[in-house]
Amino acid sequence: KKVPTMSNCIPDNLHAAGRFCLWKREERGGRSTKVPYTVTGARASVSRPEDFVSYEDARAALERRPDRFSGLGIGLFGDLVGIDIDHCIGPDGQLSPLASEVIERIGSYAERSPSNTGVHILCLAPGLAYGPEYLAKNSSIGLEIYVAGQTSRYLTLTGDRLNDLDLAPDCSAAVLEIAEKYMRRSEKAGTPAARVVDFTDYDDPTT
């Protein structure tokens, strides 16, 4: 199995800002999931930054065992925010209006997901106050926004770029604008206390 060529595709400042892991597609409970692993081959916990390493170390581990793992992932720690948009790239390669809007407004590195039908966006948002009034996942439109402290999460990396942008240094205002438009909780549902949701064991296999 050939290791994907992504070192020249992922921005250098994302290499520097991120902490990385390996991942493997596995069957769990009758469905396919993307499971994170450490460079030593143990299961990684997305709530433990120490389970993640530098890009160079993760890349080297993948090159040593390309048949065991599916690719690289990145932990969402500190100021790093991940946005995941499901089922937003058509068979013709065209982006949905929602994906186009979010990519343009965030203005940071964006790539296709492993399925080629979804989008992952990564950006920095120092001091972002993403409170419990906002959802982490709006299943009705396939939009997910993952912020450290509100969720524990990692995203797979493909290096299959959708733009030529580096990791943007401060997207706080843009993330909140998108959240206000698409992720605000219904007033009827109330505003529950903030809690950390750990997504270690689950990832949508189609994105």
Side-chain angles (χ1 to χ4, degrees):
K1 179 181 177 180
K2 186 178 180 181
V3 176
T5 302
M6 60 174 67
S7 59
N8 294 327
C9 301
I10 297 174
D12 288 342
N13 65 344
L14 180 55
H15 291 188
R19 295 187 64 81
F20 300 84
C21 67
L22 307 173
W23 69 273
K24 181 169 64 172
R25 196 179 296 277
E26 297 179 356
E27 287 287 329
R28 295 201 160 203
R31 67 183 305 168
S32 178
T33 64
K34 304 187 195 79
V35 180
Y37 281 85
T38 70
V39 294
T40 64
R43 282 285 309 280
S45 169
V46 293
S47 59
R48 287 170 51 90
E50 56 267 34
D51 284 355
F52 292 70
V53 297
S54 69
Y55 177 83
E56 291 75 18
D57 287 347
R59 175 76 183 178
L62 180 61
E63 291 175 344
R64 286 194 300 269
R65 290 185 280 185
D67 294 323
R68 180 175 176 185
F69 299 104
S70 303
L72 297 183
I74 186 168
L76 300 177
F77 306 116
D79 295 331
L80 189 63
V81 171
I83 299 175
D84 188 354
I85 312 173
D86 298 337
H87 312 299
C88 62
I89 302 178
D92 59 357
Q94 292 298 306
L95 293 169
S96 71
L98 174 65
S100 296
E101 176 189 356
V102 175
I103 290 171
E104 181 177 357
R105 182 63 189 94
I106 298 298
S108 188
Y109 173 75
E111 64 172 36
R112 291 177 181 83
S113 66
S115 69
N116 290 318
T117 63
V119 168
H120 292 166
I121 305 167
L122 291 159
C123 65
L124 294 173
L128 174 63
Y130 197 91
E133 65 271 25
Y134 299 118
L135 298 165
K137 182 173 184 175
N138 185 342
S139 298
S140 66
I141 59 172
L143 178 62
E144 304 162 41
I145 299 178
Y146 296 115
V147 179
Q150 291 296 317
T151 60
S152 293
R153 179 77 172 190
Y154 89 105
L155 287 180
T156 56
L157 286 173
T158 64
D160 190 0
R161 301 182 69 128
L162 290 166
N163 57 29
D164 295 322
L165 300 177
D166 288 341
L167 182 71
D170 189 353
C171 292
S172 299
V175 172
L176 284 179
E177 182 180 315
I178 295 297
E180 188 65 30
K181 185 172 182 179
Y182 294 113
M183 308 298 278
R184 180 168 281 281
R185 293 183 186 274
S186 167
E187 292 182 2
K188 293 181 181 179
T191 305
R195 64 187 181 95
V196 173
V197 180
D198 191 325
F199 285 89
T200 300
D201 295 322
Y202 173 74
D203 197 5
D204 187 337
T206 63
T207 64

